[in-house]
């Protein structure tokens, strides 16, 4: 359970940065080298490498050294757990709204 | 677009901590005071307040001072954007898998 929590911590933390989300979107089109990713992001290789490292630690990206460059592609983690958690939260939220609606309907009935 | 990115940054960052996810789960059952949340979390009031502040900044929790205590409830942000983003990522991932499958089927055909 603690391990599961740590996986979710890392996944959500990795997604909490627009540059990292852009990297994932780009890799959805196919593999790319660090250099190819750095250009459009307007970043230095060093800056981009740090972001890729965070994504790699979260299992969202896999990298492989090919010759002199490092190739990146989408990793094995499908974010199913993160998705399941968000779905659960949405349900809590909707249930809360249902409760409020029932309350206001009741109030309306009492004052009419 | 930058504003939208900042909203997503805050939502994912707020979710990247198990204590904060537990707080949201608890508030799904109904409002609670800071004190009521701190007990089960095994935290000091000060520690818990910091987590609630992060959730409040992300719009996931709303707090209200009632008498001497601060009441917390689930906020107005439904995490629709975070959900939409994860769905988009899942599609990218599945498309990548489809591509790999097509590739291996092709390879298999060539070697048979």
């Amino acid at each position: 359970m603690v391990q599961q929590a740590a996986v979710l911590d890392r996944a959500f933390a990795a997604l909490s940065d627009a540059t990292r989300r852009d990297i994932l979107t780009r890799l959805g089109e196919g593999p790319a080298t660090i250099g190819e990713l750095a250009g459009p992001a307007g970043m230095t290789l060093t800056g981009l490498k740090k972001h890729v490292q965070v994504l790699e630690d979260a299992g969202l990206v896999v990298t492989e050294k090919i010759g002199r460059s490092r190739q990146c592609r989408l990793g094995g983690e499908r974010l199913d757990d993160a998705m399941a958690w968000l779905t659960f939260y949405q349900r809590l939220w909707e249930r809360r709204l249902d409760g409020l609606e029932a309350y206001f309907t009741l109030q309306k009935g009492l004052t009419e």
Side-chain angles (χ1 to χ4, degrees), chain A:
Chain A
M1 202 59 198
V2 170
Q3 201 181 0
Q4 169 75 354
V7 169
L8 268 183
D9 286 6
R10 276 198 296 270
F12 281 128
L15 292 171
S16 71
D17 182 280
T19 302
R20 291 199 288 269
R21 293 195 298 273
D22 287 346
I23 292 172
L24 292 176
T25 305
R26 166 62 190 83
L27 294 179
E29 295 165 15
T33 62
I34 297 277
E36 284 164 350
L37 293 170
M43 293 191 91
T44 60
L45 289 181
T46 313
L48 199 110
K49 267 181 200 163
K50 281 183 194 165
H51 282 302
V52 167
Q53 186 65 54
V54 175
L55 290 166
E56 200 169 13
D57 291 345
L60 301 178
V61 161
V62 173
T63 75
E64 192 187 357
K65 186 103 181 156
I66 299 180
R68 298 179 102 188
S69 63
R70 183 163 287 277
Q71 184 112 51
C72 310
R73 55 183 171 81
L74 289 188
E77 173 63 61
R78 282 191 56 198
L79 287 179
D80 284 344
D81 295 337
M83 194 75 153
W85 202 91
L86 277 189
T87 306
F88 171 68
Y89 174 84
Q90 297 284 53
R91 289 219 190 99
L92 289 181
W93 205 93
E94 277 152 21
R95 207 168 61 187
R96 184 193 138 235
L97 266 201
D98 288 347
L100 278 179
E101 202 179 340
Y103 174 78
F104 286 123
T105 306
L106 183 71
Q107 288 282 321
K108 204 166 162 265
L110 290 175
T111 53
E112 265 171 11

